[in-house]
Structure formats: C-alpha cells, structure tokens
C-alpha cells in the first residue's frame, strides 16, 4: 500500500524535468497518487506532456493562472472526469526579468502587479475552485522561498510576492480549517530550475547555501518532493498554515 494510494490531485507549475513541481510529481506518483497536470502554452505543452505521460497521467490541461476563467475550466474538467480531488500543488511564479534585474525601488507598477498576480493571487482562485471538489477535506501546498521573510539580493519583487503568498497561506488555512482542507507552503532552498535562471547571481546563491547551510550542501528536487508529499498526505493531518523550510538549515544560519 502506497501512502497516496487512491488519492487524486493536480499539479500546476511543471515546466520541465528540472522543475521543483516535477520532483513533487515523482514523489506523489511513487506513493500511489493519480495526477493531473497543466501547462501554460503550446511550447510548454511539448515539455510537460511527455513527463505526464511517463507517470501514466490521463489529464493534461492548458491553463493560464492569470485568468480565473481558465482556472475554473481546469477544475470543471477535473470534476467531470474524477468527481472529487484530494490535493492541489501550486508551484507557479513569474516576474518580468527587468523587474528582477533592476533595483527594487525601480520596479514598474505593471511588473509589480504581474508578479503579485501570477505568484500570489493565483493561489486564491485555485483554492476557490478546488474547495467544492474536496467535500471530505484535502490538502493544498504552494512553493515559497526565504526571500519572503528576508531581503535576498536580486530576488526583489519576487520576494514581496512570496511574502504575500505566505500570508495568503495563513489566511486560507484559517478559513478552510473547518472544511478539513489544509493549506501549507514549502520554502525550498535554491535549486537550478528554469525559473531560477531569471535570478541574478544565482550561482553565488548556491555557493552561499553550501557554505552556510548546516548540511553543507544545497537541497534536491527529491527532498522538496518528499517534504511536499508529507504535507499532502495523511501523515500531516494536524498541520496547516505552516511554512515548511527545506533548505538544508540555511534559514537557521541566515536568520
């Protein structure tokens, strides 16, 4: 018997096999979960679909999380095909490259709003449309980073968006607890992903992690996947509104 046998859920945010969301998907699949995936556009579909197929996934849907209608359409399809779901993984974030490169004070209004919309607000419609599909309760997990609680060089507007995301986790957890729906976040250390390529001096951040982490190394996709599996499974039925750090102890050293 696998930890997630009989459980179904959807993952938003797989871009390629280096994505943190893909590490999560692999752990969920190995534990017996049935997975659905989304992709943003045709270019990403070419990357996501083969990965989803490799895990035997039958539901692979387009979704622009900047559109409430698109998010609603995904959950309508899940209801038609599955009826109910047990979990949602929100692993979506975006900021304009120039707004990451420029000093934070120079962030454009448009860029600020875009980062907040995609990286933080998108968790709300996902939760809103997932709720009716979780009549017996469920678990929602999003992905954050240390830049939400301290100023990380070059993280800039994304750090502010992640701070809003973490606050959203706490408010959603407080609201949904009575429905037996848990909402948590995993704050992963720096990992080489497509999204990380937009962060300045990223290699230096990896070196700093290795030097200052109690484990003396960076964390892996697999480790983040395992932590997320815990938060999505019945092992964590008493955990909600938490920010779960998976960073080799860097948070301890940094703060």
């Amino acid at each position: 018997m696998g930890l997630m046998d009989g459980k179904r859920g959807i993952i938003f945010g797989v871009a390629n096999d280096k994505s943190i969301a893909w590490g999560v998907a692999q752990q969920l699949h190995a534990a017996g979960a049935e997975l659905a995936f989304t992709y943003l556009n045709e270019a990403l579909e070419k990357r996501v679909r083969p990965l989803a197929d490799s895990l035997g996934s039958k539901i692979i849907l387009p979704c622009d999380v900047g559109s409430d209608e698109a998010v609603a359409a995904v959950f309508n399809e899940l209801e038609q095909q599955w009826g109910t779901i047990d979990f949602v993984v929100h692993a979506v974030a975006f900021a304009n490259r120039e707004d990451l490169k420029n000093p934070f004070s120079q962030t454009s209004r448009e860029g600020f709003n875009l980062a907040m919309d995609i990286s933080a607000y998108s968790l709300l419609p996902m939760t809103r449309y997932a709720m009716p599909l979780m009549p017996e309760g469920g678990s929602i997990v999003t992905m954050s980073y240390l830049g939400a609680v301290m100023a990380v060089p070059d993280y800039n507007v994304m750090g502010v968006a992640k701070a809003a995301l973490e606050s959203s986790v706490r408010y959603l957890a407080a609201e949904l607890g009575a429905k037996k729906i848990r909402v948590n976040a995993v704050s992963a250390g720096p990992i080489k992903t497509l999204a990380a390529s937009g962060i300045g001096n990223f290699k230096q951040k990896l070196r700093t992690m290795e030097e200052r982490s109690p484990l003396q190394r960076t964390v892996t996709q697999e480790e983040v996947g395992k932590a997320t599996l815990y938060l999505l499974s019945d092992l964590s039925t008493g955990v909600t509104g938490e920010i779960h750090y998976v960073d080799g102890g860097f948070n301890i050293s940094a703060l």
Side-chain angles (χ1 to χ4, degrees):
M1 292 289 291
L3 185 60
M4 299 294 284
D5 280 356
K7 294 187 180 294
R8 291 169 163 170
I10 185 164
I11 299 180
F12 293 82
V14 173
N16 56 31
D17 62 355
K18 304 298 182 185
S19 298
I20 288 176
W22 178 239
V24 173
Q26 290 176 300
Q27 293 300 315
L28 288 169
H29 173 73
E34 187 173 357
L35 302 174
F37 292 87
T38 68
Y39 58 88
L40 174 60
N41 52 37
E42 184 176 341
L44 285 176
E45 180 184 9
K46 293 177 181 178
R47 300 176 183 175
V48 174
R49 188 170 292 278
L51 294 174
D53 287 342
S54 74
L55 300 186
S57 296
K58 305 300 182 184
I59 304 177
I60 309 163
L61 302 169
C63 185
D64 175 359
V65 300
S67 163
D68 286 3
E69 291 77 14
V71 176
V74 167
F75 286 98
N76 286 339
E77 185 64 25
L78 292 178
E79 183 175 22
Q80 290 181 27
Q81 296 204 34
W82 284 348
T84 62
I85 61 174
D86 300 285
F87 61 87
V88 174
V89 177
H90 173 278
V92 181
F94 182 80
N96 287 327
R97 188 175 294 269
E98 58 269 25
D99 288 314
L100 292 172
K101 288 186 175 181
N102 291 336
F104 177 61
S105 63
Q106 304 307 306
T107 304
S108 67
R109 186 181 298 273
E110 179 183 5
F112 187 96
N113 290 339
L114 178 62
M116 292 290 286
D117 183 27
I118 302 302
S119 308
Y121 179 78
S122 60
L123 178 63
L124 275 63
M126 285 187 201
T127 301
R128 183 161 61 244
Y129 296 120
M131 287 167 55
L133 277 62
M134 296 179 168
E136 302 301 321
S139 181
I140 299 170
V141 173
T142 186
M143 297 293 154
S144 190
Y145 178 62
L146 186 65
V149 296
M150 64 180 296
V152 173
D154 304 305
Y155 204 56
N156 297 342
V157 68
M158 187 57 73
V160 177
K162 290 296 188 184
L165 179 68
E166 291 190 4
S167 185
S168 298
V169 164
R170 290 185 282 271
Y171 278 93
L172 289 171
E175 177 185 340
L176 303 186
K179 300 179 183 295
K180 299 181 181 179
I181 298 175
R182 298 178 293 109
V183 186
N184 293 286
V186 171
S187 183
I191 296 176
K192 293 180 181 178
T193 64
L194 184 62
S197 65
I199 306 299
N201 298 310
F202 187 73
K203 290 183 179 180
Q204 178 59 49
K205 290 175 174 57
L206 291 174
R207 288 194 294 270
T208 299
M209 165 66 76
E210 292 170 352
E211 293 168 358
R212 297 182 59 181
S213 165
L215 294 181
Q216 295 295 292
R217 63 173 177 81
T218 58
V219 293
T220 66
Q221 272 182 306
E222 181 182 8
E223 289 169 328
V224 177
K226 288 178 178 178
T228 308
L229 171 62
Y230 159 72
L231 291 172
L232 293 173
S233 77
D234 289 341
L235 292 178
S236 61
T237 52
V239 179
T240 193
E242 295 292 329
I243 311 302
H244 192 84
Y245 286 92
V246 186
D247 59 7
F250 184 80
N251 183 52
I252 299 171
S253 303
L255 298 180

